[in-house]
Each structure stands twice: as structure tokens, then as C-alpha cells.
Amino acid sequence: MQQLIYFFQKFKYFLFFLLLAFISLALTFNNLEFHKSKFVNSANYFTGGLYLKANNISEYVGLKSENKLLAEENTRLKNIIENNKSIIYTIDSTVVDSIKYHQKYTFTAAKIINNNYAKKFNFLTINKGENQGIEREMAVVNSMGIIGITDNTTESYARVQSILNRNSKINARLRNTNYFGTLGWDGLNYNTVQLSDIPRQAPLKIGDTIETGGKSTIFPEGILIGTISKINKGNTAENMVYVKLFNDMSNLGYVYVVKNLDKDEIKLLENPNE
Amino acid sequence: MNKPLNILFLFLSLLFLQIFVFNNISFLGFINPYIYIIFVFLYPLKENRIPFLLYAFLLGLIIDFFSDSGGIHAFSILCIAYLRLFFVRLFFRKVVTDYPFFKLKSESFGKTFNYVVTLTLIHHLIYFSLANFSFNNISNVFLNTIYSSIFTLLLYFLGTYIFTNSK
């Protein structure tokens, strides 16, 4: 017994160091896995609140470019409405009732209050949470394209796993075709993501647009991602295509969180045992 | 530097500087200084190291909360906090009775430089290896370590130069 107490006395600093090191390493390993880090994340009351305050000050700098983006998006949406109007008037005189029409997605506007892009595992924080109907595994997009997937929520904040995270896997396809692959990030350049496993017979050209494929329950079909910047042809097993993002991930303001209303139904169908 | 209030002030100011200023610099796209490790350099040497280890760990952990990095900052600052005494003995040749009188300011520049550079490099190497978390782009880890260390050290030495001369 005395030996034991003597041992603890002698090595108490080292043992204390080991204890703290164990805690921090456990938190690190947990954080690397999607959905596991409930404890350390920037979406809790304290960190989220402080980031919101800091962001309220700094957002004035970006108001001009934010307005320009919104105006561009408005123009695009108005053009779509005009196109639809002419179709409705010329082909069919019945007006589609938007309540009876089966709606698949709802959009919630949110503001990014913390943005990372220089690390290997990047996360964003947005100022909407469970009180506004944000849940896990919802798509986050803006007018220029995809941003990420929500992975942790609190009452009024949510953490988003950015597309610039080495754990991100998103279904993507070549525009106007059905050739699809998996979009990931190698952690090097925040402007470029990698599309892998796309079939060899797909007619890929540099400059072609890549968009979301709609083969998951998270992202709606046809949301913009980027253009092909480099095609890795050769005898490698992986058919890697480099995609330059439309979004400047270092300069993000307002985003939309997309909720898929059919998600539970699709999941139940695919995994009836869960 | 021995009063608890001063240490609390140092803790909080380094914390907020790191979170709201230095985490957002991204010089050339990816270079950030990690100046919060100055806490390890400036905390007074004491016989009982448990509070020091605990404070260093807490500082790292709070920064982790803000930067969504799990426990990487906490682990890397904890490592240099534990190793500090070894390097103090190695570079300054101090024994236990010297601890209360030890001040980084009163030591010669050469010794201080060696001490600070070694601890900074160790911290940054651990931090970037854990942040990368694979052997895939190991050269990137070393490059990041060197660039960020230069940035951190520049800020540290400029800071000490400015604050010691203004008195």
C-alpha cells in the first residue's frame, strides 16, 4: 500500500498529464466521426451566441456583395417563373394549386456565423436550430451551389459539416446526364473538390458542369456544384475528376437549409428494419 | 505575473485574441498563428504543476469548442505544458529553488529564443499532425508547421519587444 501511495506521489504529474491527454484524444477521435461529437462543437449556447455577436459586427463589410448575390438570384428565379407562366397560359389553363400539389422540399434561410475552410475537417455554424425546424442531415445550399450537411443541432444553432471536410461524401452527377459519382475533398485546395467513381464512358469535358444527383435523401436534384477543371485519365482504379466550386467557400453569408419532407418515408422503405 | 488576477487576464485575453482575431487571419489561404501558447511561456514556474496543466488544458479545450476541432488544441498545448519543465532545465539550467525567481524576460535572448522556438515547433507539429490525421500529405504537415511557427514566433517576439519597451 505504501509502495502504491509512493508511486502515485512520484508520478502524480505524469498521471495527471495522461488523464488530460486521454480526455483530449478521445474528444479528437470522436470529432472525426460524423454525428458523434455531441460535446465539443461550436453550436452550443455559449459559443454560438458569441459567434453571433462577432458576426453581427463583421457582416457590414460584406453587405454589398451579399446584395449583389441576392439580386442575381432574384433575377434567375423571376426568369424561371416567367418561363412557367408562359407554359401554363399557352398549354394548360388550369392553375396549379400549390397546396394540393405535392411539395417535396422546404427551404429555411439562415446566416453563417462561423466559417472554416483552411483545415482538413471544416465545419460551419449557422444561426438557426431545432426551434426553427433544423434537424440533422439536412442539406445546406446557397444561390451559387452546395455548402454542406447539418450534423449537430442545438435549440437555436446548428453545426454544418462543410463540403470541405474529408468525411464529406455527396452524390453528384454530370449535368444533363445520369452518370453519377461520389463527391469528396482531399483536404488540399478549398476551391477544388474531387468527384470519384464516375463511369469511364461518361462524356466528361473540361468546363462541364457538375450538379447534385438527387440519389440521396439529403440534397435535392440539380443543385449546382462546380465545373470540371481537370480529368485524371489513365490506368488508375479510381477515375478522379477535379471540380472547381462555383462557391467561394471563404466568403459565405446567407444560406438555405433544405428539408426533405419525404426523407422518413424513403428511409423507412430502404431500411424497413430500423 | 504572479497574481491570480494577472493570470486570469492573460488566459482570457489570449483566448479571445485567438478565437476572434488570429483564427481568421488565414494568411495566403492557410497560415494561422497560434499565439495562445504564450500562456505556457508566461505562466510562472511553480513546484506544484497540477493547476498549470489544468489551466493549459482548459485554454486549449475552449479554443477547440470555438474552432470545432475536437480536442486537438487541448492535447497539443497540454503536451508542451508538460514538457516545459524539461526544457527549462535543459536551456536555463534551473533547479527547484530557482523556480520562484525565474522570469523569461530576465534571461538572455539566445536561451529564450531556443526555448520558445523548441516549444512552438513541438506544439505546431503535434497540432498539424492531429489536424491532418493521415499519412497522406505528410509533407503538408511539415510545411504548415514551419510556416505557422514562423508567424507565431514573429508575433511573439514583436509583442514582447513592444510591451517591454513601452514601460
Side-chain angles (χ1 to χ4, degrees):
Chain A
M1 194 60 199
Q2 206 163 14
Q3 289 277 328
L4 196 68
I5 292 169
Y6 177 71
F7 173 80
F8 278 124
Q9 271 295 332
K10 197 177 172 194
F11 292 102
K12 66 178 173 190
Y13 299 124
F14 185 65
L15 289 172
F16 189 62
F17 165 74
L18 276 188
L19 172 78
L20 293 180
F22 175 76
I23 295 172
S24 52
L25 281 180
L27 289 171
T28 307
F29 295 144
N30 263 342
N31 191 50
L32 290 170
E33 280 176 56
F34 194 56
H35 280 181
K36 274 221 171 154
S37 62
K38 294 201 76 133
F39 181 57
V40 180
N41 73 65
S42 61
N44 65 41
Y45 175 74
F46 181 66
T47 53
L50 271 178
Y51 269 136
L52 188 66
K53 281 212 169 67
N55 186 263
N56 281 340
I57 299 165
S58 62
E59 82 175 325
Y60 286 105
V61 185
L63 276 182
K64 203 172 175 184
S65 58
E66 197 62 39
N67 275 338
K68 195 166 150 261
L69 276 179
L70 284 176
E72 275 168 11
E73 193 184 13
N74 270 341
T75 324
R76 204 163 56 89
L77 294 177
K78 276 193 173 153
N79 280 331
I80 294 172
I81 292 174
E82 280 306 313
N83 281 340
N84 282 345
K85 259 187 195 161
S86 64
I87 293 168
I88 292 167
Y89 292 151
T90 50
I91 299 171
D92 191 357
S93 59
T94 54
V95 180
V96 177
D97 188 340
S98 61
I99 297 171
K100 282 176 188 163
Y101 178 72
H102 184 64
Q103 189 182 5
K104 215 182 152 190
Y105 298 102
T106 58
F107 292 78
T108 312
K111 188 169 82 175
I112 288 181
I113 56 172
N114 174 35
N115 183 10
N116 289 315
Y117 55 89
K119 291 189 265 183
K120 310 286 169 195
F121 299 89
N122 292 301
F123 294 97
L124 315 155
T125 316
I126 56 175
N127 69 340
K128 294 279 166 77
E130 281 155 17
N131 290 346
Q132 286 84 22
I134 310 289
E135 292 161 15
R136 285 171 162 194
E137 290 198 358
M138 284 166 65
V140 179
V141 301
N142 71 358
S143 59
M144 307 284 280
I146 62 168
I147 304 226
I149 301 169
T150 56
D151 85 327
N152 243 316
T153 53
T154 55
E155 275 170 14
S156 40
Y157 301 99
R159 186 170 83 153
V160 179
Q161 180 179 297
S162 163
I163 168 78
L164 302 181
N165 186 312
R166 286 217 305 246
N167 286 332
S168 283
K169 294 272 174 291
I170 289 165
N171 179 285
R173 69 171 183 207
L174 188 63
R175 191 169 212 181
N176 296 331
T177 68
N178 278 323
Y179 294 111
F180 67 92
T182 309
L183 198 75
W185 188 52
D186 60 2
L188 292 180
N189 186 344
Y190 70 86
N191 278 323
T192 320
V193 291
Q194 284 74 34
L195 181 65
S196 54
D197 302 329
I198 192 155
R200 265 152 203 275
Q201 63 269 30
L204 298 168
K205 282 200 193 73
I206 285 174
D208 282 358
T209 306
I210 301 291
E211 60 183 19
T212 53
K215 286 187 176 56
S216 72
T217 52
I218 298 173
F219 280 100
E221 199 174 344
I223 290 190
L224 298 175
I225 295 172
T227 55
I228 297 179
S229 64
K230 190 177 145 202
I231 301 171
N232 208 356
K233 277 202 177 136
N235 292 326
T236 48
E238 49 186 5
N239 214 359
M240 196 75 94
V241 175
Y242 289 78
V243 180
K244 190 176 181 304
L245 290 172
F246 287 126
N247 256 327
D248 179 2
M249 294 297 284
S250 62
N251 182 17
L252 297 172
Y254 285 83
V255 294
Y256 304 107
V257 184
V258 186
K259 184 178 188 181
N260 187 340
L261 299 172
D262 292 345
K263 185 167 138 191
D264 293 339
E265 196 180 327
I266 295 171
K267 285 223 157 154
L268 198 67
L269 179 71
E270 288 176 346
N271 310 307
N273 295 328
E274 270 180 21
Chain B
M1 244 1 266
N2 266 318
K3 289 171 204 149
L5 257 180
N6 280 349
I7 291 168
L8 185 72
F9 177 72
L10 181 73
F11 186 95
L12 289 179
S13 52
L14 284 177
L15 178 69
F16 287 112
L17 269 178
Q18 183 65 42
I19 297 164
F20 290 117
V21 182
F22 292 112
N23 268 355
N24 299 318
I25 285 188
S26 294
F27 179 60
L28 298 182
F30 60 95
I31 305 170
N32 272 338
Y34 297 98
I35 51 100
Y36 67 94
I37 55 170
I38 293 172
F39 185 75
V40 174
F41 307 148
L42 295 188
Y43 194 90
L45 274 184
K46 274 177 193 160
E47 174 88 65
N48 184 5
R49 287 149 72 203
I50 299 257
F52 168 58
L53 287 176
L54 189 68
Y55 297 151
F57 174 75
L58 279 180
L59 179 63
L61 193 67
I62 298 173
I63 289 170
D64 276 323
F65 268 101
F66 277 96
S67 46
D68 280 310
S69 44
I72 305 177
H73 285 294
F75 182 72
S76 39
I77 194 174
L78 182 69
C79 282
I80 60 163
Y82 184 74
L83 289 174
R84 180 177 82 151
L85 200 64
F86 172 74
F87 286 109
V88 168
R89 286 198 198 122
L90 187 74
F91 290 125
F92 303 109
R93 313 218 169 275
K94 299 285 176 193
V95 288
V96 182
T97 44
D98 295 329
Y99 289 171
F101 311 107
F102 176 74
K103 264 187 184 165
L104 212 53
K105 269 183 217 160
S106 48
E107 295 296 326
S108 72
F109 182 76
K111 283 177 181 173
T112 318
F113 184 80
N114 284 346
Y115 170 70
V116 170
V117 169
T118 322
L119 284 185
T120 311
L121 278 176
I122 294 173
H123 171 270
H124 284 39
L125 187 65
I126 296 171
Y127 172 76
F128 283 111
S129 324
L130 275 178
N132 190 47
F133 210 70
S134 82
F135 293 109
N136 243 346
N137 22 43
I138 195 90
S139 59
N140 228 337
V141 173
F142 293 124
L143 273 182
N144 268 334
T145 306
I146 291 165
Y147 289 149
S148 284
S149 298
I150 292 171
F151 206 164
T152 311
L153 290 167
L154 257 179
L155 279 173
Y156 172 70
F157 285 115
L158 275 179
T160 45
Y161 178 75
I162 291 166
F163 284 115
T164 45
N165 276 19
S166 63
K167 271 198 286 186

